[in-house]
Amino acid sequence: MNIKDIIIEKLSEIILNVYQLKDINLEVQENKTEFEGDFTIVTFSLVKQLKKNPESIAVELGEALTEQTEILESFNVVKGFLNVKIKNQFFVDNFKYITSDFDTIEKKNSTVMVEYSSPNTNKPLHLGHIRNNLLGYSVAQILKEDGYDVIKTQIINDRGIHICKSMLAWEKFGEGETPETTDTKGDKFVGNYYVKFDQEYKKEISELVAQGVSEEQANKDAPLMKEAQKMLLDWENGDEKVRNLWNEMNSWVYKGFNETYKRLGVDFDQVQYESNTYILGKDLIQEGLDKGVLYQKEDGSVWCDLTDEGLDQKLLLRSDGTSVYMTQDLGTAVERFKQNDIKKLIYTVGNEQDYHFQVLFKILGKLGYSWAAQLYHLSYGMVELPNGKMKSREGTVVDADDLMQEMHDIAKSKSEELGKLENFTEEEKNANYENIGMGALKYFMLKVDPKKKMLFNPEESIDFNGNTGPFIQYTYARIQSLLAKANFEQNEVTKIELNQSEKELIMQLINYKGIVSKAAELLSPALVANYVYDLVKSYNSFYQSNPILKLEDENLKQFRLNLSDLTAKTIQKSLGLLGIGTVNRM
């Protein structure tokens, strides 16, 4: 428990004992005013209940805290605000405790599944996938740090008309070329044929329109589209030739995906494929009809009426017996809870799918699955670059691999410009460029609240000053340099008198576990990102105002080195929760 929480708890006890008021939690803030004290307690919420002025309430609480606890050194009251100064030894003891407790994780014995990525196999991963993957992976790391067991999963959308478009285009225009013969990454290779299909399809539409066919009819009658639809039917009927082509082209894509995931630093514990799961939901249809949760129209289609829930009527089975995405998602959710002992399932999917998940969760609840209440849509805003939105079928997507390489190149350019990597080998330089570039990308993406739409500017993200990944990585490297020069070893210190900057830094370090728990509760890596930035600012303020290596007082020197070491470890662990690595020299 951090110092602030201890004060809040003690205040609640005193308010109960002195005023007989239950469940009162006064606001406690870190004191940023010129008045003496480490924390400020806001008393105004008690004025109405006690019918006293805030000054007298503050004095009474200050006296009670002094008499009934061991934590207060002194207090003062300014206009009803109670400023309290915490005993020096209390900070020292707390620092010793968090140092010894640093790697302890209190297990919750509860498993959470986090789904993210879930790409289509007709194109490479793009900028939107980067935010999705970084967000899902970071949330999984934060949940682990908060004591949960976590299963990271994805479902790959490996079937459907969009997949057949790439396959057909390759069959018609590929002339037998492969990723190997063209020296092209597998997912990019297949994505190029998805774009090729769209180009040729548009030509056919234009020709039909020129012959007097309406554009709407031309979209349906274009030969390429009809062939793609036939290929999909052949796939569903198990046609050997189509299935073999499908397997081969998907294998190219998976190899490409894995390269991207490796560079991005994300992984998965389980992978599901839509080609295996798309029939699962059909089993639930009869169950829903029997329970009266679903109804069937005259044409044979099956629906769920959610109008009483403020939603609409949702199609679950077409009249020809084929399923829709919703049906598949119903079946996949049921299968996941059957196969895994999970308490919660989190879907990391963009906010354009908000309505889909509202409907999914409602239907599962109506079908009687109690765990439907433990489903959560981690909805996030779209990410754009300064030059606008992306359209994959037109080939204007911001490719994930290209963006990662651009980050590497910008990191290299800026590092060379600042002379930060002199006396490094080429191998060390390249490792640092990669670490800095990827750190910049990840931090910039994750410091923004997930729900917000964001504009990502690669140049702005790589700045060695300000709220950026490289700035935080640089502070970590600075501490490592300090510890190396001091030949640092962890040693106990005797009694020490702390100054204000040391207290503030200790308070930041104490807050780490509370921030992790809050980030796990809200599923927001932004809380961790902004916490580690604040920690770095506190450390830099401490570092600039307190000598360390030149100190003659060995006891004080050791304490400040201990403080620096724990700060570095906390920075490293916080960045790790964001999927960001550290470097020892920059």
Side-chain angles (χ1 to χ4, degrees):
M1 187 181 293
N2 63 40
I3 297 174
K4 186 189 289 187
D5 289 340
I6 291 170
I7 295 170
I8 291 170
E9 185 181 87
K10 295 295 182 186
L11 278 170
S12 294
E13 290 174 9
I14 288 167
I15 290 168
L16 178 60
N17 293 336
V18 176
Y19 303 122
Q20 286 74 55
L21 295 176
K22 286 185 178 180
D23 302 321
I24 302 293
N25 289 326
L26 295 183
E27 185 181 351
V28 178
Q29 307 165 344
E30 290 181 24
N31 186 13
K32 303 292 184 185
T33 70
E34 71 277 14
F35 301 108
E36 186 179 0
D38 302 306
F39 293 92
T40 297
I41 299 164
V42 183
T43 63
F44 297 97
S45 59
L46 288 173
V47 170
K48 191 173 182 181
Q49 289 165 290
L50 299 178
K51 296 182 173 57
K52 294 183 178 183
N53 64 56
E55 285 83 0
S56 60
I57 295 171
V59 170
E60 288 172 1
L61 290 177
E63 288 174 347
L65 277 169
T66 304
E67 292 167 6
Q68 297 180 33
T69 74
E70 298 293 323
I71 63 174
L72 236 62
E73 182 177 305
S74 63
F75 72 89
N76 64 81
V77 176
V78 181
K79 296 181 178 178
F81 291 96
L82 172 58
N83 300 306
V84 296
K85 187 175 182 181
I86 305 301
K87 285 180 179 176
N88 181 81
Q89 194 58 38
F90 197 75
F91 281 99
V92 175
D93 291 343
N94 265 258
F95 175 70
K96 288 177 181 175
Y97 173 74
I98 58 172
T99 301
S100 63
D101 190 53
F102 185 71
D103 290 317
T104 304
I105 295 176
E106 192 174 326
K107 298 294 287 181
K108 290 185 164 56
N109 298 317
S110 179
T111 302
V112 179
M113 179 176 278
V114 183
E115 178 195 287
Y116 55 95
S117 196
S118 303
N120 297 322
T121 57
N122 63 320
K123 55 192 174 185
L125 303 178
H126 56 63
L127 177 60
H129 289 115
I130 286 184
R131 189 176 197 190
N132 180 295
N133 276 272
L134 296 181
L135 183 56
Y137 179 81
S138 181
V139 162
Q141 296 304 102
I142 289 166
L143 288 166
K144 279 184 190 176
E145 181 70 5
D146 197 40
Y148 291 94
D149 294 314
V150 177
I151 299 171
K152 294 172 288 186
T153 191
Q154 65 167 327
I155 180 163
I156 297 179
N157 302 306
D158 63 341
R159 63 168 285 280
I161 191 68
H162 49 296
I163 311 297
C164 290
K165 288 177 182 179
S166 296
M167 291 163 58
L168 182 64
W170 182 83
E171 199 173 56
K172 281 184 163 296
F173 312 112
E175 299 180 351
E177 68 178 17
T178 67
E180 289 75 20
T181 62
T182 57
D183 194 26
T184 308
K185 193 162 167 279
D187 50 342
K188 287 187 175 61
F189 181 86
V190 172
N192 290 339
Y193 282 99
Y194 183 62
V195 174
K196 179 69 174 172
F197 177 93
D198 191 61
Q199 292 167 345
E200 298 298 325
Y201 176 49
K202 283 178 177 174
K203 286 180 190 175
E204 291 184 348
I205 291 171
S206 297
E207 289 170 7
L208 288 170
V209 169
Q211 295 167 21
V213 179
S214 71
E215 188 164 345
E216 184 181 353
Q217 195 60 42
N219 285 328
K220 297 175 184 176
D221 291 346
L224 267 178
M225 182 56 76
K226 288 190 171 182
E227 285 185 78
Q229 289 168 340
K230 181 181 181 302
M231 183 176 271
L232 178 59
L233 283 174
D234 288 342
W235 181 91
E236 289 182 348
N237 291 327
D239 181 276
E240 187 177 357
K241 183 186 172 189
V242 171
R243 286 283 179 140
N244 286 341
L245 176 60
W246 172 75
N247 278 319
E248 184 172 29
M249 292 186 73
N250 273 349
S251 73
W252 296 339
V253 174
Y254 298 145
K255 188 177 178 183
F257 281 172
N258 288 337
E259 289 175 33
T260 304
Y261 289 142
K262 185 176 180 181
R263 188 170 190 181
L264 196 56
V266 303
D267 59 8
F268 304 91
D269 304 306
Q270 292 182 8
V271 178
Q272 290 172 296
Y273 300 90
E274 192 185 303
S275 55
N276 296 329
T277 63
Y278 81 106
I279 55 171
L280 290 174
K282 289 186 178 182
D283 300 336
L284 299 176
I285 299 300
Q286 191 57 50
E287 180 187 328
L289 289 169
D290 293 343
K291 289 181 176 179
V293 173
L294 310 180
Y295 69 95
Q296 194 163 25
K297 290 189 176 180
E298 289 181 5
D299 64 0
S301 60
V302 178
W303 297 71
C304 184
D305 186 357
L306 296 170
T307 51
D308 61 335
E309 304 277 358
L311 302 172
D312 61 6
Q313 297 185 40
K314 187 67 184 177
L315 173 68
L316 295 179
L317 205 66
R318 297 186 186 96
S319 56
D320 62 3
T322 57
S323 61
V324 295
Y325 273 113
M326 182 63 68
T327 326
Q328 298 163 30
D329 282 351
L330 289 167
T332 304
V334 171
E335 193 72 7
R336 283 171 169 170
F337 276 87
K338 274 183 186 174
Q339 294 182 354
N340 302 280
D341 181 20
I342 53 176
K343 301 299 181 194
K344 189 169 188 175
L345 171 55
I346 298 164
Y347 296 87
T348 311
V349 182
N351 57 14
E352 75 278 7
Q353 294 293 326
D354 284 355
Y355 187 77
H356 174 86
F357 284 101
Q358 285 180 40
V359 172
L360 175 66
F361 300 166
K362 290 287 185 188
I363 293 175
L364 285 165
K366 281 181 172 290
L367 288 170
Y369 293 102
S370 59
W371 45 257
Q374 300 306 315
L375 300 174
Y376 184 84
H377 175 206
L378 178 49
S379 172
Y380 63 90
M382 293 296 97
V383 55
E384 297 175 9
L385 286 173
N387 56 0
K389 293 185 178 180
M390 310 173 291
K391 295 180 181 177
S392 55
R393 63 177 173 273
E394 295 177 11
T396 60
V397 296
V398 180
D399 183 271
D401 297 312
D402 292 344
L403 180 58
M404 287 191 284
Q405 187 57 45
E406 183 183 352
M407 298 303 295
H408 178 102
D409 295 342
I410 294 172
K412 178 180 179 180
S413 172
K414 291 204 173 185
S415 297
E416 287 176 346
E417 183 184 315
L418 296 168
K420 286 193 172 290
L421 298 177
E422 293 173 2
N423 305 318
F424 279 54
T425 66
E426 283 304 310
E427 188 178 348
E428 288 172 333
K429 284 180 181 178
N430 278 317
N432 268 36
Y433 300 149
E434 186 72 5
N435 225 326
I436 293 166
M438 293 306 296
L441 170 66
K442 294 177 181 184
Y443 187 81
F444 203 96
M445 288 275 183
L446 293 172
K447 73 178 182 180
V448 178
D449 185 290
K451 293 181 178 62
K452 293 181 180 177
K453 183 172 78 171
M454 68 172 294
L455 185 71
F456 177 68
N457 188 321
E459 288 282 349
E460 279 183 18
S461 71
I462 299 185
D463 189 339
F464 289 91
N465 295 295
N467 190 4
T468 66
F471 172 67
I472 294 165
Q473 288 173 316
Y474 179 68
T475 301
Y476 176 85
R478 169 192 270 181
I479 298 173
Q480 294 309 304
S481 174
L482 168 73
L483 297 175
K485 285 177 185 175
N487 294 315
F488 172 73
E489 290 182 11
Q490 184 81 46
N491 284 307
E492 189 76 29
V493 298
T494 54
K495 189 172 168 66
I496 201 90
E497 195 64 37
L498 302 177
N499 62 35
Q500 194 58 35
S501 65
E502 289 165 332
K503 283 183 177 181
E504 286 176 7
L505 185 53
I506 289 171
M507 279 194 277
Q508 285 281 8
L509 293 168
I510 289 169
N511 288 341
Y512 169 76
K513 290 196 174 182
I515 291 292
V516 169
S517 292
K518 193 70 177 173
E521 178 191 341
L522 299 178
L523 303 177
S524 177
L527 295 179
V528 175
N530 289 292
Y531 162 77
V532 72
Y533 175 57
D534 288 340
L535 174 62
V536 161
K537 285 194 297 181
S538 290
Y539 180 80
N540 287 333
S541 175
F542 154 79
Y543 182 81
Q544 287 161 13
S545 59
N546 293 282
I548 300 177
L549 293 179
K550 293 180 180 178
L551 273 173
E552 293 183 7
D553 183 337
E554 285 299 323
N555 191 52
L556 182 56
K557 179 179 177 180
Q558 181 66 49
F559 173 76
R560 287 179 180 171
L561 287 170
N562 288 351
L563 190 53
S564 298
D565 179 55
L566 186 61
T567 301
K569 287 176 178 173
T570 307
I571 292 170
Q572 187 175 50
K573 190 171 274 195
S574 299
L575 288 178
L577 298 181
L578 305 175
I580 298 172
T582 51
V583 290
N584 290 339
R585 292 196 299 153
M586 278 178 75

